[in-house]
Amino acid sequence: MHMHKFEKIWLVFGIGSLLVFLNVVGVSAFYMGNQPPSCLTTIDPEKVDTTKPFNKPGLHKVEGKDWDYELVFVASAFSYNPAKVVVQKGVKVKIMATTKDVIHGFEVAGTNINMMLEPGYVSEYVTTFKKTGEFLILCNEYCGVGHHMMSSKIEVVE
Ligand code: CUA
């Protein structure tokens, strides 16, 4: 079959734009999936230790909010502070986490909690632990030689 020169050009152009379109869709989906859930809350990564509530990592009872406790984590190469925390089953907890240096992950194994911690941003997740037991917190973003050693633990008790 003989193809007219212009038909060929349009065919190439069509396939080209399709590839561009797929690329844009793919890239933006990837980008959105990697944003912290609350990328509007910012923090100076140099001043994490003196910025509330990150100056006091751990579990804090709060009043007058939609949640009962705030569970504050500070990640840095290569650990989480606190290294372990005890939470009561059934209470509403807002997890708030940030990083002092590079990008770290914050995945609570066996739950839906899976956040990326970016320097300069606060990642938040409101949840209620409905099962007792130990939940391991793991870093799932490669952050350097000690990446595999980063962990913390949430112990949920009655
Ligand atoms: Cu922190 Cu990987």
Side-chain angles (χ1 to χ4, degrees), residues 75-80 102-105 139-144 146-148 150:
S76 58
F78 299 98
S79 63
Y80 297 99
V102 296
I103 290 175
H104 295 284
C139 182
N140 54 13
E141 298 284 338
Y142 184 75
C143 53
H147 163 69
H148 62 283
M150 282 190 74

Side-chain angles (χ1 to χ4, degrees), residues 88-100:
Q88 222 186 324
K89 190 179 105 173
V91 298
K92 208 168 180 186
V93 176
K94 185 190 201 184
I95 298 173
M96 304 168 77
T98 192
T99 165
K100 293 207 280 187

Side-chain angles (χ1 to χ4, degrees), residues 17 46 70 82 110 140:
S17 1
E46 306 271 310
E70 285 175 354
N140 54 13

Side-chain angles (χ1 to χ4, degrees), residues 18-158:
L18 183 66
L19 290 176
V20 167
F21 172 74
L22 289 175
N23 195 35
V24 167
V25 169
V27 165
S28 59
F30 176 80
Y31 187 68
M32 281 166 67
N34 278 280
Q35 282 296 297
S38 57
C39 48
L40 291 179
T41 314
T42 57
I43 182 169
D44 183 343
E46 306 271 310
K47 293 182 184 148
V48 169
D49 288 335
T50 53
T51 307
K52 276 184 182 179
F54 298 98
N55 55 342
K56 283 184 191 156
L59 190 69
H60 306 290
K61 182 97 179 82
V62 291
E63 303 288 340
K65 297 195 178 172
D66 287 343
W67 43 88
D68 310 307
Y69 288 90
E70 285 175 354
L71 180 49
V72 180
F73 279 97
V74 175
S76 58
F78 299 98
S79 63
Y80 297 99
N81 186 7
K84 187 188 172 179
V85 71
V86 178
V87 179
Q88 222 186 324
K89 190 179 105 173
V91 298
K92 208 168 180 186
V93 176
K94 185 190 201 184
I95 298 173
M96 304 168 77
T98 192
T99 165
K100 293 207 280 187
D101 40 46
V102 296
I103 290 175
H104 295 284
F106 188 100
E107 181 182 353
V108 186
T111 71
N112 290 332
I113 307 164
N114 188 359
M115 307 192 285
M116 185 164 84
L117 312 183
E118 278 188 86
Y121 294 99
V122 177
S123 298
E124 301 174 337
Y125 196 101
V126 178
T127 190
T128 300
F129 292 96
K130 296 194 174 100
K131 281 186 288 184
T132 56
E134 286 196 339
F135 296 86
L136 210 56
I137 299 169
L138 298 164
C139 182
N140 54 13
E141 298 284 338
Y142 184 75
C143 53
V145 287
H147 163 69
H148 62 283
M149 299 189 308
M150 282 190 74
S151 76
S152 179
K153 219 183 270 175
I154 296 175
E155 193 186 343
V156 183
V157 297
E158 281 293 345

